[in-house]
Amino acid sequence: MTHVPSPAEELALLDRELVRLDARRMQLLTRRAWLLSVLQPPAAPPAAPPAAAPFAPPSPTASAAAAPVARRSAQNVLLTLGGLLLTIAAIAFTLVSWGHMGIGGRSAVLALVTVVALAAPAVLLRRGLSSTAEALGALALVLMVLDAYALHRVAAPDAGGLGFAAAASAVLAVLWAVYGLALGRLRLPRPAAVVSVQFTLVLWAWSADAQASAFGWALVLTAALDCAIALWGTGVGVRTTAAVGGCVTGLAGSLVALVQSVTAGTPAAAVAPGVLLLTGAAVALVGAWRAPKGFAVAGGLIAGLAVVAGAGGVLRAGASADWTVPAYLLCGLLLLASVRAPLPRPAGQGALWASLVVVAGSILAAAPAVGVTLAGPVSRLSAVWAGAPEGGVRGALGMAGMEWSQLSTVPMVLLVPAGLAGAAYRRWAWCTRTAGPVVAPGEAWRSVVGASALVLGWAGLLVLPVVLDAAYPAAVAVQSVLVAALLALAVRGMRRGADPVAWAALVCGVAGAVSAGVLSLAAEPATYAVFGTLLVLFGAASAGTRAESSSPAARATRVVQALQACAAVVCAMVLAGAVGASLELATYRAAPVMLVVPAATVLIGTRLRGGPSALPVELTGAFAGAVAVVMAVPDGRFLALILALCGVLAAGTAVRAERRPVAGYVAVALFILATWVRLSASDVSAPEAYTLPVTIPALAVGVLRRRRDPAASSWTAYGAGLAATLVPSLFAAWVDPSWVRPLLLGVAALVLTLAGARVRLQALLLLGGAVLALDALHELAPYVVQVAGVLPRWLPPALAGALLLVVGATYEQRLRDARRLKDALRRMH
């Protein structure tokens, strides 16, 4: 079957073939010039040509050095400068020297010069001087403009300047077009004619003091003329100039009509700009019919937007202000029928893009209402459990008494596109067959359409109670039901491979859960109901989200499962805090209630051992334990109790082998910290009386451990026992005004440091050295402060700078020293 190209494709093929022929002709001419120079008897032996085949094209170097190219470039520069100087001289003569001559002389001089400038290109073209002819042709065009100016000043001085300019632009356009056709080898006159005709109708409307609609029609009609020239004109320059002019004038005219359509108060007033917009759309479609693909798509886009603006403007003017966005949305959705219109494929694609742009703009107009619905409850966090707010759900969102423009139509703006997108997702095969003449979307686009339908549907249902100003309990219930449905869809999608629909459901579900949770804080029963429901929902979602393979999608599913489990733990934390508030307990007295959450996570972690949610759940529970510790800070005794209970939980976690390396140390640290806090809360001034009885047995146990297992770390054997006494004594020494405790502590720390260095035990060396350094700093601090007060203020910065210079100069040596110290510590037990 033979493929018959379209006229545009055939024209592109012809242009490329002509370019190749011109290049070949230049190569042959260059070769011919060289052969002539060889055949002519030279005065000196001619230089040998480059080694090449007899009919091979010249090399790029030889072509670049060829004299004709250089002479032609210089010639073009000279001719351009000469034509420019003559043009400037003609303008100066017309504007400056006009008054020194009579009417006849002035007319005769301009007419003579113009006739000579118009006739000269014909003679020059016959002699092959095309560049010179172009320069003089350009000068002739400028002289004709000056002739028009002179004619107005001499023959019609009383005529209006704008009207005369409009007529002159039309006459000059005709004359230049005829002149360009008569001298077909001149490239400038016909594009200049196209440029001149751009001003005719606009200047005419301006001269007649026309209204804005007349300017719009003048621009659109000029664009229609440009479109005709671009489609059926001859010459690349003419068609390109007409295409550019058509785009500029068409867009300007459509913009004028759009402003009139938007500001029209009645449907009758919107009809005229609507007709103008439809005319502009028709012009754009005619231009897109035969334009290249990119321009055709742009033409279809502009035409589609103009149709929506024209028809939607009439509908908008006949409805209330709330229905402005739905009016344009309806027209944009009807534009989807262009997929079956008898349009070229690129133009149809542009119209489809126009429909999508209108739908996207309508959704953006509804986005503020969705944002306020989601984030509005944050404004009432200062009134937690103040009771169901007055004014229904709008009061809970901080919108009571607020006039929200176009709020009543927001659900429709969101739900109608959601319904269409959902239908397209369900009947994807039929949609692809229907849109086949315009677009052929792949299977990946189906998931995108489904995700868009889900997000828009959720947003529309979320805003619906706000639009209806429903009661507060109804709004909370609606949001909770939406979260449940979204999490169910997310679990189902994650099991099938984590497609975009599942991710959209998960994101919307989490956002809705946060919004519903914050909204429920307005009333105590709503808080328990919502967070209890969320706890069950996230727990069930985590249990139902499973992935057995090791593919990237399965790994993402396991991450989602862990995040859902963590969300359930957070909901439990909120419920624990609510229980303490309901019992009217002080903050520190409610801390034990909060510890129920980490206790539950320890048990759940044992149940989920080896699963992807085990560690995240336990870490979130540890965070709840840290919250309980912070809550108990105001009371020392409760703080010691909470720390001890946290130590018990950590010790219970350390029973499991996989958690023992971390949880064991944490448990020891918590127990020791609880002891110190309890001693401090009891105003004990001699903590050694309580810590030494613990330290001595602990060190004895450490010695036995080291005898049975010489490879055991010194931290495991002696770290806890030493810290149990050294750290409380250090704190007591810092607040003790006497010198006895610091002295005894320093001696003990010195002995431990020397012993650690002697027997190469890391725990003794580091603990003893750290305590000794801090104890010495405490003793020297008053003297340091006293000396610092005597020294001049410039000395500390100077000493610091000198120290930095020394360290920087010996940087490599200091690094080697640090590495040796690290290696020495690492070799210790």
Side-chain angles (χ1 to χ4, degrees):
M1 184 174 181
T2 304
H3 172 68
V4 179
S6 64
E9 294 176 347
E10 186 176 359
L11 178 61
L13 291 174
L14 291 177
D15 289 339
R16 288 196 294 269
E17 189 63 25
L18 288 173
V19 170
R20 285 195 293 268
L21 289 176
D22 289 340
R24 181 60 179 166
R25 182 174 181 274
M26 181 60 67
Q27 293 174 357
L28 293 176
L29 288 175
T30 305
R31 183 68 181 178
R32 180 178 179 276
W34 180 80
L35 291 174
L36 288 176
S37 65
V38 171
L39 294 176
Q40 291 176 356
F55 298 101
S59 65
T61 305
S63 299
V69 177
R71 287 198 298 269
R72 186 173 297 276
S73 300
Q75 179 188 17
N76 291 336
V77 172
L78 293 175
L79 290 174
T80 302
L81 290 176
L84 181 61
L85 291 175
L86 287 175
T87 303
I88 294 173
I91 295 173
F93 169 76
T94 304
L95 298 178
V96 179
S97 302
W98 193 254
H100 301 293
M101 301 179 64
I103 296 177
R106 292 181 297 213
S107 302
V109 170
L110 275 178
L112 179 61
V113 174
T114 304
V115 170
V116 171
L118 290 172
V123 178
L124 294 172
L125 288 174
R126 284 197 299 269
R127 296 188 178 185
L129 301 175
S130 57
S131 298
T132 308
E134 289 285 353
L136 288 179
L139 176 62
L141 299 183
V142 176
L143 289 174
M144 292 180 72
V145 176
L146 296 177
D147 285 334
Y149 171 72
L151 183 63
H152 175 258
R153 292 291 302 273
V154 174
D158 298 330
L162 293 174
F164 189 88
S169 65
V171 172
L172 288 175
V174 173
L175 293 178
W176 288 347
V178 172
Y179 183 65
L181 292 174
L183 301 178
R185 293 172 60 185
L186 286 182
R187 291 173 293 182
L188 188 59
R190 285 179 292 169
V194 176
V195 173
S196 178
V197 81
Q198 307 299 311
F199 303 99
T200 301
L201 294 178
V202 177
L203 291 175
W204 169 80
W206 195 357
S207 65
D209 293 331
Q211 297 180 351
S213 58
F215 277 96
W217 278 105
L219 290 168
V220 171
L221 292 177
T222 304
L225 178 60
D226 290 330
C227 181
I229 296 173
L231 293 178
W232 294 288
T234 57
V236 177
V238 173
R239 299 174 66 179
T240 303
T241 306
V244 173
C247 292
V248 174
T249 55
L251 289 176
S254 299
L255 183 60
V256 172
L258 177 63
V259 173
Q260 288 188 313
S261 176
V262 171
T263 57
T266 61
V271 170
V275 172
L276 181 56
L277 285 168
L278 293 178
T279 305
V283 172
L285 277 182
V286 171
W289 206 279
R290 294 179 56 187
K293 182 179 179 180
F295 293 98
V297 172
L301 174 64
I302 294 172
L305 293 177
V307 169
V308 172
V314 177
L315 295 177
R316 178 207 62 80
S320 61
D322 289 349
W323 290 86
T324 299
V325 175
Y328 289 106
L329 176 62
L330 175 62
C331 296
L333 293 175
L334 293 177
L335 194 62
L336 290 173
S338 61
V339 297
R340 304 299 297 175
L343 295 173
R345 186 180 180 89
Q349 292 176 354
L352 182 61
W353 278 110
S355 176
L356 296 179
V357 167
V358 174
V359 173
S362 303
I363 294 171
L364 287 178
V370 179
V372 170
T373 303
L374 286 173
V378 178
S379 62
R380 292 185 54 86
L381 285 179
S382 59
V384 175
W385 288 9
E390 299 180 359
V393 66
R394 293 190 182 182
L397 298 177
M399 297 174 57
M402 181 185 299
E403 294 294 333
W404 190 279
S405 177
Q406 302 177 359
L407 180 63
S408 60
T409 58
V410 168
M412 185 184 69
V413 170
L414 295 172
L415 292 176
V416 170
L420 293 177
Y425 177 75
R426 300 291 297 177
R427 304 188 60 187
W428 186 252
W430 177 84
C431 290
T432 53
R433 287 196 305 269
T434 303
V438 177
V439 291
E443 189 65 23
W445 282 100
R446 183 188 181 191
S447 299
V448 175
V449 171
S452 302
L454 189 145
V455 173
L456 293 177
W458 166 71
L461 294 176
L462 185 70
V463 173
L464 189 59
V466 181
V467 173
L468 299 177
D469 198 12
Y472 172 75
V476 173
V478 168
Q479 291 203 16
S480 302
V481 171
L482 287 177
V483 172
L486 289 169
L487 290 179
L489 287 175
V491 171
R492 180 182 178 187
M494 290 295 172
R495 284 181 172 180
R496 294 182 176 180
D499 59 349
V501 177
W503 284 107
L506 179 63
V507 173
C508 293
V510 172
V514 174
S515 178
V518 178
L519 182 64
S520 69
L521 295 178
E524 182 177 357
T527 301
Y528 284 107
V530 170
F531 279 98
T533 303
L534 293 178
L535 172 61
V536 174
L537 289 176
F538 280 113
S542 178
T545 305
R546 297 192 180 278
E548 303 298 337
S549 64
S550 59
S551 63
R555 289 195 293 270
T557 301
R558 284 191 285 271
V559 171
V560 170
Q561 181 183 7
L563 292 177
Q564 290 171 339
C566 294
V569 176
V570 172
C571 293
M573 291 174 58
V574 176
L575 288 175
V579 169
S582 298
L583 296 176
E584 297 182 354
L585 299 175
T587 303
Y588 64 91
R589 293 183 179 275
V593 180
M594 182 62 67
L595 281 183
V596 175
V597 177
T601 58
V602 170
L603 298 177
I604 294 173
T606 304
R607 177 69 176 173
L608 299 175
R609 180 179 299 182
S613 303
L615 181 60
V617 165
E618 293 179 64
L619 291 177
T620 310
F623 174 74
V627 172
V629 170
V630 174
M631 293 171 63
V633 166
D635 189 275
R637 293 176 176 81
F638 262 89
L639 179 59
L641 173 63
I642 297 301
L643 288 172
L645 292 176
C646 289
V648 171
L649 295 177
T653 305
V655 173
R656 295 157 51 194
E658 69 274 12
R659 299 287 186 258
R660 188 171 302 152
V662 176
Y665 288 111
V666 173
V668 171
L670 288 173
F671 282 134
I672 294 175
L673 188 60
T675 303
W676 296 341
V677 172
R678 189 66 182 88
L679 293 175
S680 175
S682 300
D683 295 328
V684 174
S685 59
E688 293 82 4
Y690 300 91
T691 59
L692 283 176
V694 176
T695 296
I696 294 174
L699 293 178
V701 172
V703 171
L704 295 176
R705 172 69 184 275
R706 289 274 297 170
R707 286 182 178 180
R708 293 182 180 181
D709 184 11
S713 171
S714 61
W715 291 100
T716 304
Y718 310 118
L722 292 174
T725 296
L726 290 177
V727 176
S729 297
L730 180 63
F731 279 102
W734 271 77
V735 297
D736 191 350
S738 176
W739 57 271
V740 177
R741 187 190 303 274
L743 177 61
L744 295 177
L745 179 62
V747 171
L750 178 61
V751 171
L752 287 175
T753 304
L754 295 176
R758 176 69 179 85
V759 298
R760 304 180 62 80
L761 294 178
Q762 193 180 101
L764 275 66
L765 177 63
L766 294 183
L767 278 176
V771 172
L772 180 61
L774 293 175
D775 186 63
L777 179 63
H778 170 264
E779 294 302 308
L780 294 176
Y783 303 102
V784 172
V785 172
Q786 183 178 1
V787 172
V790 175
L791 292 176
R793 295 187 177 182
W794 58 265
L795 186 59
L799 294 176
L803 177 62
L804 291 177
L805 288 177
V806 172
V807 173
T810 59
Y811 181 72
E812 295 297 333
Q813 181 63 35
R814 300 288 80 76
L815 283 181
R816 287 193 292 269
D817 295 341
R819 292 192 188 99
R820 284 197 295 269
L821 178 61
K822 182 179 69 174
D823 294 338
L825 290 175
R826 186 179 297 171
R827 286 192 296 269
M828 291 183 177
H829 293 287

